[in-house]
């Protein structure tokens, strides 16, 4: 926990003895949420009549010995301060009436000497969560027998499961031990515990099978969370005996096998079931499912196969259905249309096929549709225009074709992912009225036409990805009106014209905290279980996927592989917090702006494959975060930047294709003439065009030459005779030369007969004026 600043005024003592310290007859004192600083005043010794004291959510520090004389105290709340509390609670041993103790978010320390005494208090409520690296359970807990609620999360006890707490406290109702580095086997109490209704042992390191008799030992549970451990084996069927269970979370373990039918039939009170990220396999459900009260179902990240079971149709009250990251096949079943309460549907990363159901447009409660990375096909359903409450749509990596309907412009949608499909045609008016859109990813499709001007209406847009399409025309200046843009990727299109000088991006430290929270909340999707949509962006010449909270810290512009012209605007200095900038593979001219030296946060800068000229600004060596830099294949001249700091890590490939450049890591500037290795080399695209032109020109010239010779010989008999005469003479000379100098001697005998036959077939003209006859050819 962060410590308070030094030398802060002691606000509590500053009240004065004539005021606060004189209230010795107080029975209830609540000073919570007052930003009080300093230590507890000694006059607390006089408050012997206090029954309830609440000092939570301040900045108080020091020890708590001033409270040891409050013998009438029943409830003590010290949470969210900077107190140092001994793990034995020794100062409170004589507070025999103490029943409730809350001290979350303070510091618990272990004394050098253990307290030999047994505390006089018998607590029924204790909360000591997030109190540092405690190391072991406080020993005073061994002497407690009336506990009802125990909250001890985030303390790193590094011990086994304290089943003695259950054995010693027959009336225990709630036990929360999340994130404590508990390990070993999970052992239940000797006898059934009929009062325990809430058990959370998530985020620990238990490594064992789930107890077979867990349903018999803990029959009254309403909430059971054993997620994020290392439990293995199968799911015990005895869990089906927990007839009152409303929430079961066994996700993020190593459980295998299938779902016991007794579980799906016996847990008729269950409203939330999470079995995500295990190794469960086979059919998802049998034909018998009695989970009629289920609201939230998360079976993602397993190996379930087959079709989506029809038995799920009995769960008509489902609000969230997450079956992603399995091996499900077949089409999306029609019975889903009857789930009138369904708001979140995630079927992504399966092997589902068929068309996207048009009837899904009548599911008016849908807010999140995620069906990415399947084999879905067909056109984008026009019926989706009726999903007025839609907030998230992800249909990326499918085979969806056709155009986006102009009517699809949900007012509340904030994230759209339609990348890697076969969408075509212009955007028209799709998304025109989606003014709170934060993410628009239409990359890797076949969209055409111009980027529409109405994109300037999307005032909340942060991530715009239109790369790898066939957009043409200029970059709309309306993008300059979007004050929250963090990522712009328009690469691999047919965009032309100049780069708008007003183009800018915005990072988190430049915008209001309200908007940061807005984007962060969307990224974390609090109204769903764990939907976190990735965005691909090329950085340092490699494509990476970013998602969740990381996206809020990323900023970049990629305009590469277009037909942009003109100079790089000097207003690039306004991108001072940009992380990545890629302007490569265009037709940009002019110098590299000195303003690039102001981009102190940039890590990736690619200006290669353009027609830039002039010198590289030496001030670029001040970009200490730069880890990728390329100005290859331009017309730059002069000396490279000083080979120091980050620029000492860039090799020749960063500058290749600029014959007039010199200096490390290239040739020394004292030498004359460009190095052959640094002569301009055509890019792959330009090289392909040059070779095609060469082959076409060569073939045409060859054919024209042959036709010209044939025409001359046909028109002029004299030249025709001379042509055949010289052809025959040259052929004969070549043969005898090969025979005398190249062919092995042993072959000569075999060739004499062949030569005689050849001479009988070929008669050569001795003078240009004689007739040629009996020519067969050599």
């Amino acid at each position: 926990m962060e410590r308070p600043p030094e030398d802060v005024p002691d606000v509590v003592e500053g009240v004065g003895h004539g005021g606060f310290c004189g209230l010795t007859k107080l029975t209830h004192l609540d000073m919570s949420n007052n930003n009080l600083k300093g230590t507890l005043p000694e006059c607390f010794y006089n408050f012997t009549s206090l029954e309830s004291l609440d000092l939570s959510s301040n900045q108080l520090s020091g020890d708590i010995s001033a409270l040891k004389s409050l013998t009438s105290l029943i409830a003590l709340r010290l949470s969210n301060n900077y107190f140092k509390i001994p793990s034995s609670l020794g100062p409170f041993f004589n507070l025999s009436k103490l029943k409730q103790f809350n001290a979350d978010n303070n510091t618990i320390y272990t004394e050098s000497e253990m307290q030999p005494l047994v505390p006089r208090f018998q607590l029924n409520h204790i909360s000591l969560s997030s109190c540092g690296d405690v190391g072991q359970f406080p020993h005073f807990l061994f002497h407690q027998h009336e506990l009802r609620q125990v909250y001890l999360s985030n303390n790193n006890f590094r011990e086994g499961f304290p089943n003695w707490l259950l054995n010693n406290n027959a009336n225990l109702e709630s036990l929360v031990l999340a994130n404590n580095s508990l390990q070993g086997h999970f052992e239940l109490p000797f006898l059934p515990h009929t009062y325990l209704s809430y058990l959370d042992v998530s985020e620990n390191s238990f490594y064992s099978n789930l107890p077979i008799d867990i349903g018999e030992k803990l029959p009254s549970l309403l909430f059971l969370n054993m997620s994020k451990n290392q439990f293995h084996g199968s799911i015990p069927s005895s869990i089906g005996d927990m007839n009152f269970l409303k929430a079961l979370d066994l996700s993020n373990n190593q459980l295998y096998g299938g779902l016991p039918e007794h579980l799906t039939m016996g847990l008729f009170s269950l409203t939330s079931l999470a079995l995500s990220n295990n190794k469960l396999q086979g059919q998802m459900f049998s034909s018998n499912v009695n989970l009629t009260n289920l609201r939230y179902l998360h079976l993602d990240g397993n190996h379930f196969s087959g079709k989506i079971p029809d038995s799920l149709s009995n769960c008509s009250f489902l609000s969230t259905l997450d079956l992603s990251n399995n091996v499900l096949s077949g089409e999306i079943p029609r019975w889903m249309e009857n789930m009138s309460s369904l708001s979140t549907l995630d079927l992504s990363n399966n092997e589902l096929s068929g068309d996207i159901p048009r009837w899904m447009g009548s599911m008016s409660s849908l807010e999140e549709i995620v069906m990415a990375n399947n084999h879905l096909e067909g056109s984008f359903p026009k019926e989706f225009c009726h999903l007025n409450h839609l907030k998230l749509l992800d249909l990326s990596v499918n085979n969806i074709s056709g155009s986006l309907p102009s009517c699809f412009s949900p007012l509340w949608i904030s994230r759209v992912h339609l990348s890697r499909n076969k969408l075509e045609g212009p955007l028209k008016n799709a998304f025109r009225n989606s003014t709170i859109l934060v993410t628009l990813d239409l990359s890797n499709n076949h969209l055409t036409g111009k980027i529409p001007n109405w994109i300037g209406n999307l005032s909340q847009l942060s991530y715009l990805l239109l790369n790898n399409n066939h957009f043409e025309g200029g970059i709309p200046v309306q993008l300059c009106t979007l004050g929250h843009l963090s990522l712009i990727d328009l690469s691999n299109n047919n965009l032309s014209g100049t780069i708008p000088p007003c183009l800018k991006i915005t990072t988190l430290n430049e915008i209001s905290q309200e908007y940061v929270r807005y984007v962060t909340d969307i990224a974390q999707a609090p109204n769903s279980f764990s939907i976190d949509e990735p965005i691909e962006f090329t950085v340092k010449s490699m494509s990476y996927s970013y998602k969740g909270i990381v996206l809020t810290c990323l900023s970049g512009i990629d305009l590469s592989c277009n037909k942009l012209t003109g100079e790089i605007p000097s207003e690039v200095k306004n991108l001072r917090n940009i992380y990545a900038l890629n302007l490569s593979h265009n037709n940009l001219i002019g110098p590299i702006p000195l303003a690039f030296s102001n981009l102190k946060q940039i890590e990736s800068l690619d200006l290669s494959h353009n027609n830039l000229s002039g010198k590289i600004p030496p001030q670029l060596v001040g970009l200490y975060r730069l880890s990728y830099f390329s100005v290859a294949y331009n017309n730059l001249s002069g000396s490279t930047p000083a080979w120091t700091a980050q620029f000492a890590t860039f090799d020749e490939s960063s500058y290749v294709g600029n014959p007039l450049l010199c200096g490390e890591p290239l040739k020394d500037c004292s030498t004359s003439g460009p190095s052959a290795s640094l002569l301009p080399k055509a890019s792959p695209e330009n090289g392909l065009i040059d070779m095609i032109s060469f082959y076409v020109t060569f073939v045409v010239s060859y054919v024209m030459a042959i036709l010209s010779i044939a025409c001359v010989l046909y028109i002029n008999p004299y030249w025709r005779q001379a042509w055949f005469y010289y052809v025959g003479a040259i052929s004969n000379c070549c043969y005898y030369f090969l025979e005398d100098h190249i062919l092995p001697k042993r072959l000569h005998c075999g060739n004499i007969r062949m030569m005689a036959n050849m001479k009988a077939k070929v008669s050569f003209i001795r003078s240009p004026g004689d007739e040629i006859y009996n020519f067969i050819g050599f």
Side-chain angles (χ1 to χ4, degrees), residues 136-190:
Q136 60 184 5
F137 286 102
H139 281 270
F140 75 88
L141 289 174
F142 287 93
H143 305 289
Q144 302 300 302
H145 302 284
E146 298 180 8
L147 286 170
R148 292 183 178 272
Q149 289 90 28
V150 176
Y151 303 98
L152 300 174
S153 299
N154 306 307
N155 286 312
N156 291 328
F157 290 128
R158 294 191 295 275
E159 294 190 50
F161 178 70
N163 56 358
W164 44 268
L165 270 175
L166 297 174
N167 290 325
N168 294 345
N169 297 272
N171 295 322
L172 188 64
E173 299 172 357
S174 299
L175 177 59
V176 180
L177 300 171
N179 192 25
N180 273 310
S181 301
L182 300 179
Q183 53 198 342
H185 291 268
F186 184 81
E187 298 182 1
L188 292 173
F190 306 123

Side-chain angles (χ1 to χ4, degrees), residues 615-682:
K615 296 182 178 181
I616 303 174
Q619 294 85 350
L620 295 186
V621 296
L623 303 178
Y624 297 112
R625 292 175 178 249
L626 197 62
S627 58
Y628 179 85
F629 176 72
S630 179
V631 291
Y633 300 105
N634 280 284
N635 297 314
L636 299 170
S637 59
S639 176
T640 59
W643 213 53
T644 183
Q646 287 297 101
F647 275 78
T649 64
F650 305 138
D651 57 19
E652 182 179 333
S653 63
S654 296
Y655 306 98
V656 69
N658 293 280
L660 300 180
L661 273 181
C662 60
E664 287 187 291
L666 308 179
K667 67 182 188 311
D668 195 308
C669 288
S670 61
T671 62
S672 59
S675 172
S677 64
L678 299 176
L679 290 175
K681 300 176 183 178

Side-chain angles (χ1 to χ4, degrees), residues 394-462:
D394 187 354
L395 303 177
S396 55
V397 197
N398 280 289
N399 295 309
I400 304 170
S401 57
S403 60
L404 289 170
S406 297
C407 62
F408 185 72
S409 187
L411 294 176
W412 301 105
I413 199 163
S414 60
R415 288 177 290 165
V416 173
H417 300 267
L418 297 175
S419 63
R420 299 188 182 278
N421 279 287
K422 298 177 180 179
L423 296 172
E424 56 189 14
L427 278 182
K428 297 181 181 178
N429 291 320
F431 312 113
R432 181 171 191 148
N433 298 318
S434 303
T435 55
I436 65 171
L437 196 62
V438 172
T439 301
L440 179 59
D441 186 356
L442 304 177
S443 60
N444 294 279
N445 280 286
H446 305 297
L447 298 172
T448 58
K450 295 183 178 181
I451 299 175
N453 292 335
W454 52 253
I455 202 164
N457 298 333
L458 309 181
S459 58
Q460 303 299 316
L461 194 64
S462 289

Side-chain angles (χ1 to χ4, degrees), residues 204-234:
N204 283 290
S205 300
F206 290 117
Y207 185 81
S208 66
N209 290 340
L210 293 176
I212 297 177
D213 56 351
I214 187 172
E216 300 169 5
K217 292 293 184 65
L218 305 174
S220 302
L221 280 179
L222 299 176
F223 179 94
L224 175 60
N225 188 351
M226 306 178 77
S227 64
K228 297 181 180 180
N229 279 280
Q230 300 179 43
F231 289 115
H232 50 269
S234 58

Side-chain angles (χ1 to χ4, degrees), residues 7 51 80 104 116 170 199 206 226 269 284 289 314 322 391 393 419 445 474 502 522 574 580 624 660 677 689:
D7 300 325
E51 297 178 2
N80 303 309
D104 300 333
L199 177 62
F206 290 117
M226 306 178 77
S269 299
M284 188 167 288
V289 174
N314 295 332
D322 188 353
K391 297 179 180 178
L393 177 64
S419 63
N445 280 286
C502 58
I522 289 176
N574 296 327
Y624 297 112
L660 300 180
S677 64
I689 296 174

Side-chain angles (χ1 to χ4, degrees), residues 475 477 480 496-503 557 559 564-569 571 575 581-583 586 588:
I475 299 174
V477 295
C480 300
S496 57
T498 60
I499 300 174
C502 58
L503 196 63
I557 296 178
L559 304 179
L564 300 175
T565 56
E567 296 186 0
I568 300 174
E571 287 80 1
L575 308 176
L581 177 62
N582 191 347
L583 303 178
N586 280 287
L588 300 174

